[in-house]
C-alpha cells in the first residue's frame, strides 16, 4: 500500500466506486480497486477497514489497519467497533488501550462492547472513568443495563441524567417493557409527553408493544389515533406494531384493516398478520395469508415459516406442514434452529415421530428448546427409552436443564412405567426447590399412581411444601379409577370439589368408577350433583384431518355424509374381530343397559367411527391418524390393535394423554397407559 497522504483529498470517483463495492459486499473487487489508488488517504483506508470488519473478515481489516502509517481517531474508532462486531472483545480492548488519543465516541464504543458481551461491571467502571460524557454515552449505558436485565440500574441512571433527548426516553420505555414492566413503560411515556418531548416513530413502536403485552386496548387506540395524526401510519415498523397490538387484544379485524391500508413488500409485516391470525386460532386464515405472500413473490423468513408451521400444528394438518417444510428446504432454512424446533413440534403433534427425530438430528446449533421439544415429543409418544437416551446426550452436550426438561422426563417415566427412574429424577430435581412446580408434583403423582402406588402418591401430595391444586388431586383420582380404588378416589374427589367445584373430569371419573363397580345408585347421585351444579360432561369426540378438512365424529354419530359406508366398514370389521376371538369388554360400556346395547355402544365409539372414515377415505396401506379429546377407552384400545392387524395398516391415535401407535396387533404403549 502506498504512503497515506493527509493533504490529498479523496478522489470522488474512487470513493464512490469503493463505497458501491463495499455496500454490495463485493470485497475482492473493492480491494482490487483500492490497490489501484496511487496514494489512498485515511478516509479510503478507513472505508476498506470497515468494509472488511462488517463482512466478518477481521484478519484482513487488522492487517490493513496495521499497515497504515498514519491513523486518525475515526480510523481507530472504526477498528475498535469492527473488532466488537466480529466478536473479539479482547482485541477491541487492546486497541482501545493503544489509542494515542480518545474522544467520547471511543469511550462509548468500548462501553457498548462490554455491555454487548454482558460485562456490565467493567462497562460501569469505564463509564465512570470517561473524561466527558455526552447524551449518547448515557443512552448507551441505559440501553446496555436494560439489555442485561438490570432495569432498576437503568432507571436510576436515567433519573441522574443531566440532559435527556428522545432516544433516552425511548430506550428507557423500551427497556422497561422488555423486562416485564409494561405498566411502568406506559407511565414513563405519559411523563415524556408531559415534559414536552415529541415521540418518534420508534418511541411509538415501543409504546404499542407495551400496550400489546398488557392488553391495554384503550391506550393503544389513543396511540393509533396519534399515529394517524402525525403521519406515521405507513411506517412499516408502526404497521407491524399495530397489527400485533390489535391481534393480541383479540381485535383481528382491526389488525387486518391496518394491514390492508397499503400494499406491503416487507416480509415482517406479512409475518405479523400470519402470527396474529395464529394467536387468534384462525389458522386457515393464517395459512391463506402465508400463501398469498408467496404468490406475490415475497420470500418467507424464519419467523413467517415458524408462524405458518404453528398454524399447521393447530390444524393438525400434516400434509400442509410438509408443504411448508419443503419451502423451508428450498430457502435453506431447514437447519435453522427456530424453524427446526417448530418442525419438531409440528411433526410430533401430528403423530409423525420419525420425521420429528430426523429434523432434530439435522439442526446445526441445537438450543434448550430443541432438546425439550424432542424429549417432550418422545415422551408423548411413549418412547421412554428414547427419551432417556436423548436426555443423556443433552447432559453430555452441557445444555442447562429447565422445568420443561423435568416435565418431559417425568411424563416419559409415567407413560412407560419407569417407576424407579421417575423417583430418581424427582429426587434429583427436587434439590433445586425453585425448579419443582405444581405440574411436576402432578406428573410424579401420575408416575406413582399408574404403577399402583396410590398410598405413596397420596402421601406425596400431603407432604407437599406448597398447597396442591386440583390438577394434582385429579392425577390421583385418575390413577384410582385405573386401579379401581374407590376409597382413595373419594378422598381425591373431595379435595377437587373443594378447589374446583365445576371440574367435569372429576365427576366423570368418579361416576365411571362407580359404574364399573355396578354401584348404580352412586352413579345416579353423582349425575344428579352434576346437574344441580350446572356441570356439563365434555362429549367425547374423535377426528381425522384429510386434505386440510377436519372430519369429526361423536359416539354413535350418523351425521357424516359417508356414514353409511363408515358403518358398513365397521360392521365388516366387527365380523373379522369375532373371527380373531375378540369379545367386547362390557365394563367400558358405563350404562345400566342390556348386554347387546352395551356391545353396540362400544362398536360405534367416536374413535372407531373416525378409523372407519380413515379406512374408506385414504390409500390402501397408508397410515391413519386419529385425534381424540378424551382418553381412549380400554375396549377400543383392544379392538384397534386387532383392526390394525386386519387391515395391515398403522393406526395412530392421540388421546388426551399420549399417542398410541397400533401396528400388527400391538400398541406402542405396551398396554400401559
Amino acid at each position: 500500500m502506498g504512503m497515506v497522504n493527509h493533504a490529498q483529498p479523496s478522489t470522488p470517483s474512487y470513493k464512490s466506486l469503493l463505497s458501491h463495492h463495499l455496500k454490495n459486499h463485493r470485497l475482492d473487487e473493492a480491494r482490487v480497486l483500492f490497490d489501484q489508488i496511487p496514494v489512498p488517504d485515511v478516509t479510503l483506508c478507513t472505508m476498506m477497514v470497515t468494509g472488511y470488519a462488517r463482512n466478518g473478515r477481521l484478519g484482513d481489516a487488522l492487517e490493513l489497519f496495521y499497515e497504515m502509517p498514519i491513523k486518525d481517531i475515526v480510523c481507530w474508532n472504526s477498528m475498535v467497533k469492527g473488532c466488537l462486531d466480529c466478536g473479539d472483545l479482547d482485541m477491541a480492548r487492546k486497541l482501545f488501550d493503544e489509542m494515542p488519543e480518545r474522544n467520547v465516541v471511543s469511550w462509548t464504543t468500548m462501553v457498548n462492547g462490554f455491555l454487548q458481551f454482558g460485562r456490565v461491571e467493567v462497562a460501569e467502571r469505564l463509564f465512570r472513568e470517561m473524561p466527558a460524557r455526552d447524551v449518547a454515552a448515557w443512552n448507551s449505558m441505559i440501553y446496555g443495563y436494560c439489555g442485561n436485565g438490570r432495569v432498576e440500574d437503568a432507571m436510576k441512571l436515567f433519573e441522574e441524567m443531566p440532559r435527556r433527548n428522545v432516544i433516552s426516553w425511548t430506550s428507557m420505555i423500551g427497556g422497561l417493557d422488555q423486562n416485564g414492566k409494561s405498566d411502568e413503560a406506559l407511565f414513563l411515556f405519559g411523563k415524556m409527553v408531559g415534559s414536552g418531548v415529541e415521540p418518534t416513530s420508534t418511541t411509538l413502536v415501543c409504546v404499542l408493544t407495551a400496550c400489546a403485552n398488557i392488553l391495554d386496548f384503550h391506550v393503544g387506540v389513543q396511540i393509533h389515533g396519534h399515529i394517524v395524526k402525525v403521519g406515521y401510519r405507513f411506517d412499516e415498523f408502526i404497521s407491524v406494531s399495530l397489527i400485533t397490538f390489535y391481534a393480541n387484544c383479540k381485535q383481528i379485524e382491526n389488525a387486518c384493516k391496518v394491514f390492508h391500508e397499503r400494499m406491503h413488500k416487507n416480509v415482517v409485516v406479512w409475518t405479523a398478520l400470519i402470527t396474529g391470525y395464529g394467536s387468534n386460532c384462525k389458522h386457515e386464515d393464517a395459512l391463506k395469508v402465508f400463501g398469498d405472500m408467496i404468490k406475490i413473490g415475497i420470500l418467507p423468513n424464519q419467523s413467517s415459516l415458524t408462524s405458518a408451521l404453528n398454524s399447521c400444528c393447530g390444524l393438525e394438518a400434516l400434509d400442509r406442514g410438509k408443504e411448508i417444510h419443503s419451502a423451508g428446504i428450498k430457502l435453506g432454512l431447514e437447519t435453522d434452529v427456530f424453524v427446526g424446533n417448530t418442525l419438531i413440534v409440528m411433526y410430533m403433534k401430528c403423530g409423525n415421530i420419525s420425521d420429528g427425530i430426523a429434523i432434530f438430528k439435522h439442526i446445526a446449533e441445537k438450543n434448550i428448546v430443541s432438546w425439550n421439544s424432542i424429549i417432550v415429543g418422545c415422551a408423548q409418544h411413549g418412547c421412554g427409552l428414547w427419551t432417556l437416551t436423548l436426555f443423556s446426550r443433552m447432559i453430555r452436550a452441557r445444555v442447562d436443564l429447565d422445568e420443561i426438561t423435568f416435565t418431559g422426563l417425568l411424563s416419559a417415566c409415567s407413560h412407560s412405567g419407569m417407576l424407579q427412574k421417575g423417583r430418581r429424577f424427582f429426587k434429583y430435581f427436587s434439590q433445586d426447590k425453585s425448579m419443582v412446580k405444581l405440574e411436576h408434583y402432578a406428573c410424579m403423582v401420575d408416575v406413582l399412581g399408574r404403577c399402583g402406588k396410590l398410598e405413596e402418591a397420596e402421601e406425596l401430595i400431603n407432604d407437599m411444601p406448597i398447597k396442591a391444586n386440583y390438577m394434582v388431586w385429579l392425577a390421583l383420582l385418575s390413577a384410582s379409577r385405573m386401579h379401581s380404588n374407590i376409597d382413595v378416589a373419594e378422598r381425591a374427589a373431595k379435595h377437587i370439589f373443594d378447589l374446583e367445584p365445576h371440574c367435569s373430569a372429576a365427576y366423570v371419573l368418579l361416576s365411571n368408577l362407580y359404574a364399573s363397580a355396578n354401584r348404580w345408585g352412586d352413579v345416579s347421585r353423582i349425575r344428579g350433583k352434576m346437574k344441580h351444579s350446572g356441570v356439563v360432561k365434555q362429549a367425547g369426540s374423535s377426528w381425522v384431518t384429510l386434505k386440510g378438512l377436519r372430519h369429526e365424529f361423536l359416539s354413535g354419530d350418523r351425521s357424516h355424509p359417508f356414514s353409511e359406508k363408515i358403518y358398513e366398514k365397521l360392521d365388516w370389521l366387527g365380523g373379522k374381530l369375532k373371527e380373531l376371538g375378540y369379545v367386547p369388554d362390557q365394563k367400558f360400556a358405563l350404562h345400566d343397559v342390556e348386554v347387546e346395547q352395551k356391545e353396540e355402544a362400544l362398536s360405534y365409539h367416536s374413535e372407531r367411527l373416525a378409523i372407519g372414515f380413515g379406512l374408506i377415505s385414504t390409500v390402501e396401506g397408508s397410515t391413519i391418524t386419529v385425534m381424540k379429546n378424551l382418553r381412549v377407552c380400554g375396549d377400543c384400545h383392544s379392538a384397534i390393535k386387532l383392526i390394525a392387524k386386519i387391515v395391515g395398516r398403522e393406526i395412530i391415535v392421540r388421546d388426551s394423554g399420549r399417542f398410541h401407535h397400533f401396528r400388527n396387533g400391538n400398541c406402542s404403549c405396551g398396554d400401559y397407559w
Side-chain angles (χ1 to χ4, degrees), residues 155 158 169 172-173 176 184-192:
M155 196 68 207
F158 178 79
W169 289 94
M172 199 62 244
I173 290 166
L176 286 165
E184 293 179 36
L186 294 182
F187 178 75
L188 188 64
F189 175 69
K191 286 182 68 176
M192 171 185 164

Side-chain angles (χ1 to χ4, degrees), residues 138 151-161 172:
W138 288 83
V151 69
E152 290 80 11
D153 290 325
M155 196 68 207
K156 183 181 176 185
L157 196 67
F158 178 79
E159 297 292 349
E160 291 175 6
M161 286 184 76
M172 199 62 244

Side-chain angles (χ1 to χ4, degrees), residues 99-167:
M99 289 180 76
E101 61 172 323
R102 304 182 189 116
N103 60 11
V104 69
V105 175
S106 318
W107 287 88
T108 303
T109 301
M110 203 62 233
V111 167
N112 271 332
F114 282 115
L115 290 167
Q116 179 185 322
F117 283 83
R119 302 274 297 277
V120 182
E121 289 75 15
V122 183
E124 283 178 318
R125 196 161 56 246
L126 210 60
F127 178 74
R128 298 300 176 192
E129 290 173 4
M130 288 179 70
R133 304 182 203 108
D134 61 6
V135 70
W138 288 83
N139 290 345
S140 293
M141 199 66 210
I142 287 168
Y143 184 82
Y145 270 140
C146 292
N148 285 279
R150 289 176 54 171
V151 69
E152 290 80 11
D153 290 325
M155 196 68 207
K156 183 181 176 185
L157 196 67
F158 178 79
E159 297 292 349
E160 291 175 6
M161 286 184 76
R163 187 168 59 87
R164 304 184 191 114
N165 61 12
V166 68
I167 297 172

